[in-house]
Structure formats: structure tokens, C-alpha cells
Amino acid sequence: MTPNENIARLGLTLPTVPTPIAAYVNCVRSGNLLFLSGGLPIDGDKKILGQVPRDVSIEEAQEASRMCVLNRLAVIQSEIGDLNRVTRIVTVGGFVSSAPDFYDHPKVVNGASELLLEIFGEKGKHSRTAVGVAALPLNAAVEINLVVEVE
């Protein structure tokens, strides 16, 4: 199945490409690599905001990670025209707004990693960083950035 077919099979859709909130662009291409800026769990009126686990449960934060991935995939599709042109998800950077005594950042970012595997199969296997931070832009619970290889 194609990535777009897998997205549909999962009952998901890609959101509208977000407008950057500061002095940066969503994506920079260098050769066959796309470097994607961090995406937030915001899709229209749906937002997942706050600190994990104080304001947001681990399960809600995993959903936030998935929202971030869909947001980033919309950027990729806009940039290259077709998700079939993705040859590899190279790396995922996951940032979790969390309380100082929270240590399950990898569980939160698994939401992103698992979705990428469901959408891209073997091409979705990637290296990853999952870290906790004191705060994220717009009080987002999670921020995800990607490096993606394309044809």
C-alpha cells in the first residue's frame, strides 16, 4: 500500500500545511534530504497543550505526537508532491513538555515512531531522540521534527 493509502486505512487525514509562527520555513531541501522544522499538535481547533503528565496524560501526549507527524507529512507532501517519493524516514526529534520528575519521554514519542512505521513500513524505521523540556512554543505538549530522504 502507498503511504496515502495507509493514512486513509488508519482513518486519518493530512491537515492543512501550517504557517510558521516565527522567522523560519517548514522545510529545507538539501540534495535528497528534507529537514523539517518542528511541528506542533495543532490541527485547526484541535490542540493538545500543557505539560506531561500534569496537564496531559501519556496517552494524550502520544496522540499529540501522531498529530505532529501528520502535520509534518502534510509539509512533505506540499514540498515534493507525493509521499510515495519518500525513500526513508532518517531521524525523528521528539520534544516533550514535561514535569521535572517525568521520565517516560520515549513512550510519548513512540506515538510518532509507531505511526511512521504504520504509514511507511520499512522505510519508516528511523533513528530518534526523545527529550523532556520545560516548555514548548504555544504551550504545546509535544514538538516533532524530521529528516527525510526523498527521491
Side-chain angles (χ1 to χ4, degrees), residues 88-94 109 113 116-117 123-130 145-147:
R88 184 74 188 239
I89 304 298
V90 178
T91 192
V92 171
V109 181
S113 293
L116 288 165
L117 290 170
K123 295 177 185 179
K125 289 185 177 178
H126 54 272
S127 66
R128 186 179 89 179
T129 301
N145 68 346
L146 302 172
V147 176

Side-chain angles (χ1 to χ4, degrees), residues 48-130:
I48 300 179
L49 307 176
Q51 276 197 334
V52 182
R54 185 187 70 203
D55 308 312
V56 177
S57 71
I58 291 176
E59 292 77 18
E60 290 169 317
Q62 289 170 332
E63 175 61 23
S65 292
R66 289 187 285 274
M67 286 176 67
C68 292
V69 164
L70 291 172
N71 175 303
R72 299 297 80 195
L73 294 182
V75 171
I76 294 168
Q77 186 160 285
S78 174
E79 182 73 20
I80 63 172
D82 186 353
L83 293 179
N84 286 326
R85 293 183 56 206
V86 171
T87 58
R88 184 74 188 239
I89 304 298
V90 178
T91 192
V92 171
F95 305 88
V96 180
S97 177
S98 59
D101 60 347
F102 180 73
Y103 306 108
D104 283 333
H105 310 100
K107 287 182 182 176
V108 171
V109 181
N110 274 348
S113 293
E114 291 167 358
L115 182 58
L116 288 165
L117 290 170
E118 288 184 273
I119 292 171
F120 291 101
E122 285 295 309
K123 295 177 185 179
K125 289 185 177 178
H126 54 272
S127 66
R128 186 179 89 179
T129 301

Side-chain angles (χ1 to χ4, degrees), residues 26-28 34-38 72-73 75-76 145-148:
N26 275 315
C27 180
V28 171
L34 299 180
F35 294 84
L36 285 96
S37 299
R72 299 297 80 195
L73 294 182
V75 171
I76 294 168
N145 68 346
L146 302 172
V147 176
V148 178

Side-chain angles (χ1 to χ4, degrees), residues 22-35:
Y24 64 92
V25 294
N26 275 315
C27 180
V28 171
R29 184 172 185 161
S30 181
N32 64 341
L33 294 177
L34 299 180
F35 294 84

